[in-house]
Amino acid sequence: MTEQSGPSTQQIVEKVWLSIAERRLRPGVQLKEEQLATIFNVSRARIRQALTVLERDGLVTIIPNRGAFICKPSVEEARDVFFVRRTVERCVIERLCVSVSKPNLRRLRDHVAQERIANAQDITTDIIKLSGGFHLLLAETVGSDFLFTTMRDLISRSSLITAVYRNTNRFNCGPDEHAEIVEAIANNDAVKATHLMAHHLDHVESELDLSEIRDLSHDLRAALS
Ligand SMILES: [Zn+2]
């Protein structure tokens, strides 16, 4: 096998990410290099690269001489992540209300339209990706690498927290609330837009049950298939 065959590092990262977001991979589960290399039909070197990215994104902990494990966020960490999101996303919204460009507004509206299509067709993987993606796109359109990188980290951690603590099987931030936020930004109404975002994050956090760890699959192959 050559290094070029099989899925790319990013594809492996996305597959693991989605399996976590869809609650098929449980926090605490060990990601064994050899087993993953067999499942994805790639070299162990590529698996190691993917694990390094997952560690950077806060989804995996690598313990020397023991291996890589899906992180297990505590209730305190879950609350902290949402606390930071409120602060960062408020800043993102305030800036957008001052400076959003027409092309970026179009991108935001197009994104919400994609979310509506995914919802109508009930495509879980798209719904999960697009829901988090909306918040990332807001940060991206501000044009600050730091805010974007910070949000990417926060969204990854939020996905893991949602996977562990979510009350229901739905993963949908909700295109309706996203659409309202976009229209408030379009009207340069920072008061309304920041209020809507705060309400939206309250709503997302309220759907978490921050009192118990859910029982999810231990089976790597079944979770990644
Ligand atoms: Zn949302």
Side-chain angles (χ1 to χ4, degrees):
M1 189 198 319
T2 67
E3 260 309 312
Q4 278 72 41
S5 65
S8 67
T9 302
Q10 193 52 37
Q11 284 170 331
I12 295 167
V13 168
E14 289 212 357
K15 187 72 190 170
V16 173
W17 189 93
L18 271 179
S19 296
I20 292 170
E22 289 176 331
R23 307 202 291 183
R24 286 186 282 122
L25 261 185
R26 168 185 120 81
V29 148
Q30 185 172 8
L31 296 174
K32 293 178 181 154
E33 272 179 27
E34 199 171 333
Q35 197 179 358
L36 288 175
T38 307
I39 291 170
F40 288 109
N41 195 28
V42 297
S43 67
R44 289 180 65 163
R46 190 173 298 179
I47 295 298
R48 273 196 292 279
Q49 285 172 357
L51 292 174
T52 304
V53 174
L54 288 162
E55 186 186 36
R56 183 202 66 195
D57 290 347
L59 296 177
V60 159
T61 310
I62 297 175
I63 303 174
N65 302 321
R66 286 195 53 207
F69 299 83
I70 306 281
C71 287
K72 208 175 205 170
S74 65
V75 168
E76 289 73 24
E77 188 183 333
R79 294 195 195 285
D80 286 350
V81 164
F82 275 91
F83 174 77
V84 177
R85 276 190 66 175
R86 277 192 186 80
T87 311
V88 174
E89 298 203 50
R90 180 186 179 88
C91 170
V92 165
I93 296 274
E94 282 174 346
R95 288 210 201 171
L96 282 179
C97 283
V98 174
S99 66
V100 72
S101 66
K102 282 208 163 67
N104 278 337
L105 259 184
R106 202 173 308 124
R107 286 175 73 198
L108 289 166
R109 287 184 174 127
D110 286 348
H111 189 96
V112 174
Q114 292 294 317
E115 287 188 69
R116 291 197 195 284
I117 291 168
N119 268 278
Q121 297 176 345
D122 204 20
I123 307 168
T124 309
T125 50
D126 286 357
I127 292 170
I128 293 168
K129 267 192 178 177
L130 290 165
S131 289
F134 173 75
H135 293 261
L136 270 183
L137 183 60
L138 286 174
E140 191 187 326
T141 49
V142 169
S144 155
D145 284 347
F146 178 69
L147 281 177
F148 178 73
T149 309
T150 304
M151 272 306 295
R152 191 181 59 194
D153 185 351
L154 287 168
I155 293 295
S156 288
R157 287 171 199 269
S158 293
S159 302
L160 184 59
I161 288 161
T162 304
V164 179
Y165 294 110
R166 188 117 177 155
N167 261 328
T168 67
N169 277 318
R170 292 174 58 79
F171 291 94
N172 191 0
C173 261
D176 291 342
E177 290 185 11
H178 288 174
E180 284 180 346
I181 291 167
V182 172
E183 292 320 304
I185 291 170
N187 292 326
N188 305 108
D189 189 342
V191 173
K192 185 174 182 184
T194 52
H195 175 79
L196 286 169
M197 179 56 88
H199 173 78
H200 177 58
L201 292 176
D202 282 348
H203 183 194
V204 175
E205 190 177 355
S206 74
E207 290 185 350
L208 303 178
D209 175 3
L210 294 177
S211 62
E212 78 178 294
I213 295 277
R214 306 259 152 198
D215 183 32
L216 304 175
S217 175
H218 276 286
D219 185 341
L220 267 189
R221 185 174 291 279
L224 292 167
S225 65

